[in-house]
Every structure is written in structure tokens, then in C-alpha cells.
């Protein structure tokens, strides 16, 4: 990951953030999805097939499913990629940090999409008429990952009362493709073979979101 992109990594607590629209989102989608393989204990591996590129892990998954053997099916399920969604944000009260990127899982993604598609709420990311988001993060005893919930504020609010500041933030939204490097086929095959031969436990990325 490049250091030019600031990931928002809040601890337990209550936060108010404002989502911003991506410049390069496909077909005007409000949030950007990326799919990752999690094998071994390393960071996620960006799946090449989501970009139409050769993908040895995807090839193996298809092969395993088509064999019809229960063990192969089990392994294929372990290799299945997981989705993360991304939204640039400004954290209220921490505006001096500039644009950060919030990465979240399926539950938060579906909730935010629900607001976006609800005509009574409208475009929560609109710089003039959008809504701040109230984010609550809790660490439950005995649970490894935090629970995250999000609610849209009841009233719309400008991104900033200062148009120049709003413009600056919108212009400094990073390119999501700068965040994660697509590994080569050789690098992915090496990671896959190491995991298959070593049998390490799969990395668990579930974060309660």
C-alpha cells in the first residue's frame, strides 16, 4: 500500500464523518468495491480477475469446484475472495487530517447503499446537500473484532461552509488504485503454493463491519 493514501482506522468510540464521492468510481457508483484473497497471515491479495487479468487462485477455485469432491469443495470455499468497500471521508473535529479512506465490509456497505438509494435521504455524498454520518464502534468483551454501526444524520449539511475548503478536499481525493498493488501471476502462485504446502491457517479479515 502506498503511504499517500490515509486509511481511517478508528478505535472504539463515536465519530461523525462526511463521505465524499470518488472521482473514478465506475458508472457513478457511490462506493468502490475491491475483492481480496486472504491466504496465510499476510495482507489480502487483490484478485486479478476483477480487472479481467489472469488469476491462478480463481483458476484453482473453479477447478476444485468442478472436481465434485467434498474436500476440494471445502478448500475452494476457503480460497473464496472477500469484498471490501471504500469511501473517502472527512472526520469532523479532525478536519486538519484531510481526506482519509474508510474501508468497510458487507454490512456497513449495504446500510450505506440503503441510504443512498432511499429517495427520502438522497445523495448522502453531495457536497452541498449531503449528510454527515454518525459512526459508533464498540469492542465487545471476548470478541476479536470491533462492532461498527452507522447512521445518517437527520438533517443535510454542507461539506464545508467554506467553498474553497470543500473544493480542496474534493480535489485531494486519492485514486483507489494507488492503495493496493496488483501482484504478478508469479507472486500470487508463490503465495498460493506456500500456503497449500505449509497449510497455514487462513487470515481472517472479518472486522465486524
Amino acid at each position: 500500500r502506498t503511504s499517500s493514501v490515509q486509511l481511517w482506522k478508528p478505535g472504539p468510540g463515536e465519530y461523525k464523518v462526511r463521505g465524499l464521492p470518488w472521482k473514478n468510481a465506475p458508472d457513478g457508483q457511490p462506493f468502490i468495491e475491491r475483492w481480496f484473497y486472504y491466504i496465510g497471515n499476510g495482507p489480502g491479495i487483490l484478485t486479478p480477475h476483477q480487472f479481467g487479468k489472469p488469476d491462478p487462485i480463481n483458476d484453482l477455485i473453479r477447478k476444485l469446484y468442478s472436481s465434485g469432491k467434498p474436500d476440494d469443495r471445502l478448500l475452494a470455499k476457503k480460497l473464496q475472495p472477500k469484498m471490501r468497500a471504500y469511501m473517502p471521508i472527512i472526520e469532523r473535529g479532525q478536519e486538519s487530517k484531510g481526506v482519509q479512506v474508510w474501508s468497510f465490509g458487507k454490512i456497513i456497505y449495504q446500510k450505506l447503499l440503503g441510504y443512498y438509494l432511499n429517495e427520502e435521504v438522497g445523495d448522502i455524498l453531495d457536497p452541498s446537500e449531503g449528510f454527515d454520518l454518525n459512526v459508533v464502534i464498540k469492542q465487545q468483551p471476548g470478541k476479536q473484532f470491533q462492532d461498527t454501526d452507522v447512521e445518517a444524520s437527520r438533517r443535510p449539511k454542507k461539506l464545508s461552509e467554506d467553498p474553497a475548503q470543500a473544493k480542496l478536499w474534493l480535489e485531494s481525493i486519492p485514486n483507489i488504485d494507488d492503495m493496493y498493488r496488483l501482484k504478478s501471476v508469479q507472486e500470487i502462485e508463490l503465495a498460493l503454493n506456500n500456503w497449500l504446502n505449509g497449510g497455514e491457517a487462513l487470515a481472517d479479515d472479518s472486522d465486524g463491519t
Side-chain angles (χ1 to χ4, degrees), residues 86-104:
Y86 296 85
M87 175 174 67
I89 61 145
I90 292 293
E91 183 184 343
R92 299 300 193 191
Q94 298 289 331
E95 285 91 347
S96 61
K97 291 184 178 177
V99 178
Q100 302 178 73
V101 175
W102 184 17
S103 160
F104 41 85

Side-chain angles (χ1 to χ4, degrees), residues 101-174:
V101 175
W102 184 17
S103 160
F104 41 85
K106 196 161 78 173
I107 294 169
I108 294 297
Y109 183 41
Q110 287 172 340
K111 195 159 187 185
L112 290 174
L113 268 182
Y115 289 132
Y116 193 80
L117 298 171
N118 183 341
E119 288 179 11
E120 290 182 14
V121 181
D123 182 358
I124 57 173
L125 306 178
D126 184 276
S128 304
E129 299 172 356
F131 293 77
D132 284 1
L133 299 165
N134 301 307
V135 181
V136 178
I137 298 172
K138 292 178 181 169
Q139 182 71 59
Q140 303 292 359
K143 278 185 76 173
Q144 185 181 355
F145 300 105
Q146 298 169 345
D147 288 332
T148 303
D149 195 21
V150 62
E151 299 286 346
S153 296
R154 303 206 170 176
R155 293 187 179 87
K157 182 179 179 178
K158 287 182 179 177
L159 169 58
S160 174
E161 292 299 328
D162 176 0
Q165 178 63 76
K167 186 169 183 277
L168 188 66
W169 282 335
L170 291 166
E171 286 173 353
S172 60
I173 291 168

Side-chain angles (χ1 to χ4, degrees), residues 1-7 178-179:
R1 199 164 62 77
T2 63
S3 57
S4 63
V5 179
Q6 287 189 86
L7 267 183
D178 292 339
M179 287 179 67

Side-chain angles (χ1 to χ4, degrees), residues 22-61:
W22 286 107
K23 294 181 202 170
N24 60 337
D27 303 323
Q29 290 175 15
F31 315 111
I32 288 182
E33 298 175 16
R34 286 290 181 263
W35 291 81
F36 296 87
Y37 297 117
Y38 291 92
I39 57 174
N41 297 317
I45 297 171
L46 208 50
T47 69
H49 76 272
Q50 69 188 309
F51 306 109
K53 297 187 180 234
D55 186 335
I57 297 181
N58 187 49
D59 294 344
L60 177 60
I61 290 170

